[in-house]
Amino acid sequence: MSRYGLLLACTLFASLGCAGTAGRPRDVHAAPATVTVAPPYHDPEYALRLAMPDPADWDERYHIDGGENAPDPMLRLTRRSDGAVIEVLFVPRAGGTPAEFAAHLRTDVGNAVTPVTASPDGSAATFESASGGRRTRHRVFHLAGMTRSHAYMRVTASTASFAAAATLFDALATSASVVPTGPLSPRAALAQCLAAKGVRLYGTWWCGPCHMQEQLFGDGASRLDHTQCSAPGETDQLPVCAAAGIRSYPTWVFPDGTRLEGVQSLEDLAAKSHCPAPPREPAAP
């Protein structure tokens, strides 16, 4: 298995919690028109909601055991009519942008038949692979509010039915929306608001002021759109941060391109982003 395969199979699902055994089937005839799936975290900060086409035609299974050294899909949809399979997984943002992650994934899965194609804004990347008379479309994407991960979806169908399955898959992926979990503390609500508005925090594991900034958010720190600029145990800057022109830590980058460097107060961040500020805590006696 490649280094990337180990990262995907072990780092993500060992450190954040594997799904374990396969989930039990659900009665899709009674299923709503949408499905909701959360990342494999112990306390997920969001769920991904997808508009479900023709729900009566699909079997739903949650928390699938992907097998030894393989990632565990959080959701698997299998169409009764032709056996097409759609799977939803999550991958860590530490792996880079959707295009960078898709490039690693393309190398790892092998049998690729198309290059990686990225969306104009860089929020999604797609490629296809083929094996044994079946074809797979892979899509890695990121939505505002997904603070610790990218979504990874794939559809696999026979060559004969792939075009129709891929059209449906694209519609399902396009329908994806982020649903914040709750209830939230005031500081967690601010962090979620910042992430939803596209405000990003750049920092590193070895940066003391970065830890001070995170501590200001208390239990809401995990909900920040936080990009780590150094790999664990290393101090070199990762390409994703070099490309963003990050020169000091922490750095806040806002959707309009403006930046704030250094530790910022929650009040200042709330004011600049037009998010509700948490109430001031009483001063210690």
Side-chain angles (χ1 to χ4, degrees):
M1 172 171 286
S2 72
R3 177 186 61 82
Y4 173 71
L6 286 174
L7 169 66
L8 182 62
C10 301
T11 303
L12 174 62
F13 295 98
S15 63
L16 299 182
C18 285
T21 59
R24 58 185 179 83
R26 296 177 57 189
D27 180 3
V28 295
H29 293 284
T34 61
V35 291
T36 303
V37 56
Y41 311 126
H42 181 265
D43 181 21
E45 73 275 17
Y46 74 92
L48 195 66
R49 180 172 292 166
L50 303 164
M52 184 68 181
D54 302 322
D57 193 25
W58 296 81
D59 286 318
E60 297 175 41
R61 290 177 65 86
Y62 289 81
H63 305 297
I64 307 300
D65 184 359
E68 185 177 0
N69 293 327
D72 298 336
M74 294 294 101
L75 170 65
R76 177 178 293 161
L77 303 170
T78 304
R79 188 156 62 179
R80 295 188 178 97
S81 59
D82 60 5
V85 175
I86 294 175
E87 294 178 308
V88 181
L89 305 90
F90 296 91
V91 293
R93 290 192 61 197
T97 65
E100 290 169 336
F101 217 113
H104 287 297
L105 182 62
R106 183 178 183 273
T107 299
D108 196 57
V109 298
N111 302 310
V113 294
T114 66
V116 172
T117 302
S119 62
D121 63 357
S123 65
T126 305
F127 72 95
E128 294 179 8
S129 60
S131 179
R134 292 175 69 81
R135 192 173 179 113
T136 301
R137 176 169 294 176
H138 307 261
R139 180 180 176 90
V140 181
F141 62 94
H142 186 87
L143 301 176
M146 299 173 63
T147 58
R148 295 165 59 189
S149 58
H150 300 309
Y152 166 34
M153 293 178 59
R154 61 194 179 200
V155 59
T156 301
S158 66
T159 303
S161 62
F162 177 76
T167 298
L168 185 147
F169 169 79
D170 290 342
L172 186 68
T174 301
S175 77
S177 61
V178 171
V179 183
T181 59
L184 304 179
S185 69
R187 289 185 289 178
L190 172 59
Q192 187 72 57
C193 180
L194 292 172
K197 291 195 173 187
V199 181
R200 182 171 297 177
L201 171 64
Y202 290 85
T204 70
W205 64 270
W206 48 262
C207 164
C210 300
H211 293 295
M212 292 172 59
Q213 183 72 85
E214 292 180 39
Q215 288 169 1
L216 290 179
F217 285 90
D219 63 349
S222 66
R223 299 173 187 273
L224 293 168
D225 188 347
H226 188 186
T227 297
Q228 277 287 338
C229 291
S230 294
E234 300 181 5
T235 58
D236 291 341
Q237 189 180 62
L238 293 173
V240 64
C241 297
I246 303 303
R247 297 173 297 181
S248 65
Y249 311 116
T251 292
W252 292 90
V253 178
F254 294 81
D256 62 2
T258 60
R259 302 182 176 207
L260 293 175
E261 296 181 345
V263 178
Q264 307 297 317
S265 71
L266 301 187
E267 292 77 15
D268 287 347
L269 291 169
K272 183 169 176 57
S273 58
H274 304 289
C275 288
R280 288 182 175 273
E281 296 182 357

